[in-house]
Amino acid sequence: MKIRAGYRIAFDCQNPMPIHLMLSVHPDRRHDLITPDTLRVDRPEARITQLVDGFGNLVTRVAAPAGPITFASDFEIADSGLPDPQVLDARPTAVEDLPADVLPFILGSRYCETDRLSSVAWSRFGQIEPGWARVQAIVDYVHERIEFGYHHARPTRTAEQGHEERTGVCRDFAHLAVALCRSMNIPARYCTGYLGDIGVPYSPSPMDFSAWFEVYLGGRWMTFDARHNKPRIGRIVIARGRDATDVAITHTFGTAWLTHFEVITEEIPAQALMAAE
């Protein structure tokens, strides 16, 4: 399967400022790129550099001039076309045996307050067999607990607040599921990326980036999605971190007004591929 994806995001900067972007396809999927995922900027005087952060994500740093600036990319990527794998017999790894790079993902973080959700987690899921079944029970609970709606979005909502308010967007589903997993010593990390309407009914809502999470089971990271609660096709990961703080797609260090936001994620139909050939 081939997928076309990309974005067009514009700001009006009130003064010269640094802008950090986390919009590039993650390094572990870049070998699947068919056409380059290259950032285009309409202000040639903007100075651009790129680095890899402590979580292995690609970060683009822009020294933006005052005034309007637009960032864009449009690329094609190969995908297996298979849904998220399910390994129902996956077992947990004891905390004392976790690799060093996994340890940060059993701790509380800005949006995932394990200290405030631990009693909820153990009272609801403590009797469920550790491993895949326990994580799936958490996913089921979060999926039913939170009502999705873009009008519910709030950038400061934490996992505990999402649990109590019972409303949110995809990041709130991910934060609550991550916090409940970590409360039970299950390593979990927050993910952001592209997820189009592939293999599911078309949604008329504007396309956006999506959030899901990964859990360390059976010695590797596995994908879960509390918002959709079903295996999906065509995820393209951009970044992973402890929570949304680590993977903000844009971070402006000054006053900048968002003037345009557009995301594209769609399967390239087989007939289009044949015509191109």
Side-chain angles (χ1 to χ4, degrees), residues 68-129:
I69 187 168
T70 299
F71 305 106
S73 182
D74 190 327
F75 60 90
E76 295 179 8
I77 190 168
D79 190 83
S80 69
L82 299 175
D84 303 322
Q86 294 186 295
V87 186
L88 305 185
D89 60 351
R91 304 294 299 167
T93 301
V95 172
E96 59 269 27
D97 296 326
L98 290 172
D101 62 343
V102 176
L103 289 175
F105 301 106
I106 59 171
L107 305 176
S109 57
R110 163 69 177 86
Y111 290 105
C112 301
E113 319 101 310
T114 53
D115 56 332
R116 303 180 69 89
L117 288 165
S118 180
S119 60
V120 173
W122 284 101
S123 65
R124 290 187 174 275
F125 312 111
Q127 302 305 312
I128 298 173
E129 181 182 5

Side-chain angles (χ1 to χ4, degrees), residues 170-192:
C170 55
R171 62 178 268 158
D172 300 300
F173 286 80
H175 281 151
L176 180 53
V178 165
L180 292 172
C181 285
R182 292 182 190 165
S183 295
M184 306 193 75
N185 302 324
I186 305 168
R189 61 188 184 186
Y190 182 98
C191 306
T192 187

Side-chain angles (χ1 to χ4, degrees), residues 11-22 39 41 45-49 51 59-67 69 71 248-257:
F11 292 97
D12 187 2
C13 301
Q14 302 305 293
N15 50 271
M17 68 182 68
I19 299 178
H20 287 186
L21 306 173
M22 206 171 288
L39 174 73
V41 185
E45 68 271 38
R47 182 168 56 87
I48 299 172
T49 57
L51 56 83
V59 180
T60 302
R61 300 196 293 191
V62 181
I69 187 168
F71 305 106
I249 58 172
T250 64
H251 194 141
T252 58
F253 294 85
T255 302
W257 307 114

